[in-house]
Amino acid sequence: MTRSTIDQFNRRDLIRGAAMLGAGAALASPFGAFAQKGGFDDVRKAAEAGKEASVKRIRDWVALDSIAAENRNMPEGAAYMAELIKDAGFSGVQIVPTKGHPGVFGTLDAGAKRTLGLYFMYDVKQYDAAEWTSPPLDCRMVDRKGLGSVMIGRGTANHKGPEATFLAALHAIRAAGRKLPVNLVFLAEGEEEIGSPNFRQLATTPNVLAGLKRCEGIMMPTAMADLEGNATIELGAKGIIELELVASGEKWGRGPRKDVHSSLKAALDSPAWRLVQALQTLVSPDGNTPVIDGWFENVRPLTDREKALIREATRHSSEAQLKEALSFTHWIDNLSYEDAMIRLMQEPTVNIEGLVAGYTGPGGKTILPGRAVAKLDLRLVPNQTRTEAVGKLRAHLDKRGFNDVELNVSGGYDPTETSETSSLTRAEVATYRKLGVRPNLTPRLAGSWPGGTFTQPPVSVPVGRFGLGYGGAAHAPDEFYLIDSVNPKVAGLVDATMAHVEFLHMLVST
């Protein structure tokens, strides 16, 4: 959920553990030689012939902006997602209702011995068109120095571009007259960007659950590459809870129930200050460490192996480039780069996303607000759970007399963990190595996606994110996805498509 305005910096580069930026090992050979690596010349020819159709597929999909937070185009987004996978060869495609926005389910039976699950999202983040250099739904092609031709649009990087790239691989395999080496089970949701509040209901719908339990693993297509010929493999992800804390005169029984003149502060309590005081109890004075009662009692520290993976990743990345891209100069507590990355992976967080009360326009407006709202996100690590964390937050506030402060959870899910030795992870490592790409393993994504729904009962299968595409500015203005690369270390659309072809075939041999 991190926001970045750096055009050529992918927001997930930091929350992957900064394993991608900088001076990592280069490709064994440039992507110009990619076609000779895999032995799928016929599929590559089909992917090249279908490139314009693939570009159009991304452009048309981005033009339909399904935004769950605004309840915009949600039924239309699900219907469009269903048509996209039907066109790619899936059958039995269903739009599955939930308590919120619907999901999409389908299968592709290739008559294979092994089955891979796919997780997609069809929703995107909100946008302010005035902040963009080109309209966010137009998908204009722009040349980026040192990178190539990129498509600018909301959702191009997160995640319609990478997902459409996987679909392009299915089209290319079929156009080449080949059979898929694995069966596929597909599940997409429309609420990822609001914390997937109904995803567990979707995943445990009886026929959906039966399909997921047949899978050896579940993969989310993602732009996982960097500019130096590296790609990250995450062995997990932090969980998340998105919520609001609300202080109001109405619930408190003190202060005004509506905005009043600020001169009355001498005689009236302030709900805004009430909220500030409640927030101050949640973290240490520097704001960096949660102090919610019992918050750390179930936290699993990183293992020595996990710390070693982080140290190895930092050796193949550039701290200076990362600091420049994110416009900061010091880590928390002036930690070293290595220690900051370990802390990034290890620590749960309490973050204020937004804080609103009263008037926030130009100049002053002398009022005493009757209501104040803080939007928070809480990142969770193994072995924390959403249920535990929400309960502890409520109890913490109540114990300190803030029973009146409302706690409204809008979404969230538990952390994700996948074994380094799982067949899915081994296939990812083997695919990247075969293609001359350095695989950087990291213990977990410091951000979040709802993979924990799959790794926990009743599904209980490993998960991972895979892809050689490159994009950036997700959740930010001028979000982009690379189509034609001029950097020999970075895959354009066709090469990223072929990486998925390689991965699908690698699954049957690991």
Side-chain angles (χ1 to χ4, degrees):
M1 310 295 176
T2 307
R3 183 177 175 91
S4 169
T5 57
I6 306 300
D7 288 351
Q8 294 190 18
F9 179 74
N10 189 327
R11 74 181 177 99
R12 297 194 186 269
D13 285 353
L14 173 63
I15 56 181
R16 289 174 193 156
M20 290 73 71
L21 279 174
L27 290 174
S29 59
F31 274 95
F34 190 100
Q36 282 72 50
K37 288 181 175 291
F40 297 105
D41 292 348
D42 54 341
V43 183
R44 169 170 279 277
K45 288 179 181 177
E48 290 171 342
K51 177 187 169 187
E52 291 308 312
S54 297
V55 170
K56 186 176 187 300
R57 190 176 297 117
I58 300 172
R59 179 176 284 120
D60 291 348
W61 195 7
V62 169
L64 179 61
D65 55 337
S66 299
I67 301 176
E70 298 176 351
N71 198 24
R72 181 189 300 182
N73 294 327
M74 299 310 297
E76 295 85 352
Y80 199 86
M81 180 81 267
E83 291 304 313
L84 282 175
I85 65 169
K86 287 178 185 177
D87 189 46
F90 286 82
S91 61
V93 177
Q94 298 174 291
I95 295 176
V96 184
T98 72
K99 294 178 182 177
H101 300 302
V104 179
F105 173 73
T107 60
L108 202 167
D109 186 355
K113 294 181 179 180
R114 304 175 74 171
T115 300
L116 172 70
L118 297 169
Y119 168 83
F120 278 38
M121 51 182 280
Y122 66 83
D123 63 318
V124 299
K125 270 294 185 187
Q126 308 93 307
Y127 56 83
D128 181 352
E131 297 176 344
W132 292 59
T133 60
S134 65
L137 304 184
D138 281 8
C139 288
R140 293 180 184 174
M141 302 297 291
V142 176
D143 287 333
R144 290 285 174 88
K145 184 178 180 180
L147 191 57
S149 181
V150 304
M151 180 187 292
I152 293 180
R154 175 53 85 228
T156 51
N158 184 21
H159 267 84
K160 291 180 178 179
E163 291 170 349
T165 301
F166 182 87
L167 296 180
L170 300 186
H171 283 279
I173 291 170
R174 183 171 59 184
R178 292 201 182 216
K179 285 189 64 176
L180 274 174
V182 295
N183 309 310
L184 299 174
V185 173
F186 178 94
L187 185 62
E189 68 164 320
E191 298 181 325
E192 196 279 341
E193 296 293 10
I194 59 171
S196 304
N198 299 292
F199 187 60
R200 185 170 181 84
Q201 179 194 1
L202 177 62
T204 55
T205 300
N207 66 319
V208 175
L209 178 60
L212 295 175
K213 289 176 73 69
R214 294 197 302 270
C215 300
E216 294 188 22
I218 295 173
M219 188 270 284
M220 180 182 188
T222 308
M224 301 297 290
D226 70 358
L227 296 176
E228 296 294 335
N230 308 310
T232 292
I233 297 174
E234 302 150 349
L235 300 177
K238 289 185 179 181
I240 192 172
I241 302 169
E242 290 203 274
L243 60 91
E244 290 182 342
L245 294 182
V246 182
S248 66
E250 181 177 2
K251 291 288 184 180
W252 189 17
R254 304 186 66 86
R257 292 190 297 274
K258 62 180 182 179
D259 293 356
V260 298
H261 197 280
S262 65
S263 65
L264 294 168
K265 179 64 194 80
L268 295 180
D269 293 303
S270 166
W273 282 117
R274 177 75 169 166
L275 179 62
V276 169
Q277 297 304 317
L279 291 171
Q280 287 180 328
T281 73
L282 304 183
V283 293
S284 57
D286 60 8
N288 293 334
T289 303
V291 294
I292 299 167
D293 295 339
W295 200 247
F296 285 87
E297 65 183 5
N298 292 325
V299 167
R300 178 180 70 75
L302 291 172
T303 65
D304 289 342
R305 169 60 177 166
E306 289 170 330
K307 290 180 181 179
L309 290 174
I310 296 170
R311 293 188 182 102
E312 176 68 12
T314 60
R315 292 194 302 127
H316 296 280
S317 61
S318 169
E319 180 182 17
Q321 288 187 28
L322 183 58
K323 285 182 173 180
E324 180 180 357
L326 289 177
S327 301
F328 74 99
T329 57
H330 297 87
W331 299 106
I332 280 178
D333 298 329
N334 294 316
L335 293 174
S336 68
Y337 182 30
E338 182 179 291
D339 288 341
M341 292 301 97
I342 290 174
R343 193 182 197 282
L344 178 69
M345 295 293 107
Q346 182 169 274
E347 297 298 311
T349 63
V350 174
N351 176 60
I352 298 176
E353 295 181 349
L355 191 57
V356 181
Y359 178 71
T360 59
K365 185 178 181 182
T366 51
I367 60 170
L368 193 171
R371 187 173 187 269
V373 179
K375 292 181 177 290
L376 306 184
D377 65 62
L378 316 177
R379 302 282 177 173
L380 310 178
V381 300
N383 294 314
Q384 292 180 296
T385 68
R386 167 183 163 164
T387 300
E388 168 209 357
V390 171
K392 286 180 175 177
L393 175 57
R394 182 70 270 172
H396 174 95
L397 291 170
D398 291 350
K399 181 179 178 180
R400 286 154 181 80
F402 294 105
N403 311 65
D404 57 282
V405 174
E406 299 173 68
L407 195 169
N408 302 321
V409 176
S410 58
Y413 38 81
D414 295 346
T416 302
E417 290 193 277
T418 290
S419 171
E420 186 177 348
T421 62
S422 71
S423 60
L424 188 70
T425 303
R426 287 187 284 113
E428 291 173 347
V429 171
T431 303
Y432 287 137
R433 286 178 175 165
K434 180 179 180 181
L435 300 176
V437 175
R438 176 187 174 81
N440 278 333
L441 272 71
T442 186
R444 66 183 65 112
L445 176 71
S448 307
W449 71 284
T453 301
F454 300 128
T455 59
Q456 297 173 349
V459 182
S460 302
V461 299
V463 299
R465 303 195 307 159
F466 176 87
L468 270 189
Y470 183 82
H475 293 196
D478 290 351
E479 180 179 354
F480 70 89
Y481 188 62
L482 180 62
I483 302 299
D484 294 306
S485 176
V486 298
N487 184 338
K489 299 177 183 179
V490 182
L493 178 60
V494 172
D495 286 328
T497 298
M498 292 304 299
H500 285 299
V501 176
E502 292 281 357
F503 173 70
L504 291 172
H505 286 83
M506 190 66 71
L507 279 169
V508 302
S509 59
T510 54

